[in-house]
Amino acid sequence: ACAAVHRQAPRPQPRQPSRRHSGAMTRARIIGVAGGSGGVGASSLVAAVAVRAARRGLAVACVDLRRFGGGLDVVFGVDHEPAVRWPDLARAHGRLDVPELLARLPSAEGVHVVSCDRAAPTVLRPEACRAVVDGLAEHVDLVVVDLPGPDLPEHAPSLELLHEALLVCGSDPPALAAA
């Protein structure tokens, strides 16, 4: 498999209160991972990055924007936990009560997970995605986003949420061409 890195221009940082480390106001790094095609391990990489960061002591949240994927809740083994998922957040906008949201999200390995619900597919509106990702970024150290495929219309708007994006693809010629 191969990976490409796309660095976004620095996002303007809002002047809203967020968590404090050593007395300084900070905001989470937001990293996105997209699969160039299905089955290349993008969701697994999202989980691996998140778990590794959590084990190093960072507060981490993962956000699943792949409404047609297998689900980050499955990857983390929390798919049977009753908890908040995208259908509950579909109308989110503006500032959220993120401490309450974090308390109601499924979590594993020290990682909070916002996932899609295979039983109730939901259109992920850009303003809801922004409210959730930006809200989480004010309360954790790292947000890792499982991006929709590059061929889907929601891919481009989701890139605007990120500081960096990774594209994971297979190494054979058809997989490279698909990416």
Side-chain angles (χ1 to χ4, degrees), residues 46-62 76 108-112 141-142 144:
V46 166
V49 168
V51 168
R52 176 75 180 211
R55 288 182 179 165
R56 296 194 68 178
L58 298 178
V60 183
C62 284
F76 279 96
E109 301 285 334
V111 177
H112 297 281
D141 301 305
L142 175 66
V144 188

Side-chain angles (χ1 to χ4, degrees), residues 112-131:
H112 297 281
V113 181
V114 177
S115 64
C116 295
D117 186 341
R118 286 159 308 288
T122 304
V123 174
L124 302 178
R125 297 176 21 250
E127 54 274 9
C129 295
R130 179 167 300 282

Side-chain angles (χ1 to χ4, degrees), residues 13-154:
Q13 303 301 315
R15 303 188 73 109
Q16 301 167 344
S18 68
R19 70 199 184 291
R20 292 181 172 269
H21 289 285
S22 305
M25 299 298 274
T26 60
R27 184 171 161 84
R29 192 87 184 140
I30 306 169
I31 300 171
V33 180
S37 61
V40 294
S43 297
S44 296
L45 181 59
V46 166
V49 168
V51 168
R52 176 75 180 211
R55 288 182 179 165
R56 296 194 68 178
L58 298 178
V60 183
C62 284
V63 179
D64 190 354
L65 297 182
R66 295 183 60 236
R67 60 188 169 116
F68 300 118
L72 282 179
D73 55 347
V74 173
V75 174
F76 279 96
V78 295
D79 50 314
H80 296 294
E81 288 186 23
V84 169
R85 289 186 170 65
W86 270 116
D88 305 305
L89 299 168
R91 296 206 169 286
H93 63 282
R95 292 187 56 82
L96 304 178
D97 183 350
V98 178
E100 175 67 20
L101 175 60
L102 289 169
R104 297 181 59 209
L105 288 173
S107 65
E109 301 285 334
V111 177
H112 297 281
V113 181
V114 177
S115 64
C116 295
D117 186 341
R118 286 159 308 288
T122 304
V123 174
L124 302 178
R125 297 176 21 250
E127 54 274 9
C129 295
R130 179 167 300 282
V132 170
V133 171
D134 284 348
L136 289 169
E138 294 176 12
H139 292 272
V140 300
D141 301 305
L142 175 66
V143 178
V144 188
V145 180
D146 198 357
L147 295 168
D151 57 330
L152 296 174
E154 57 265 28

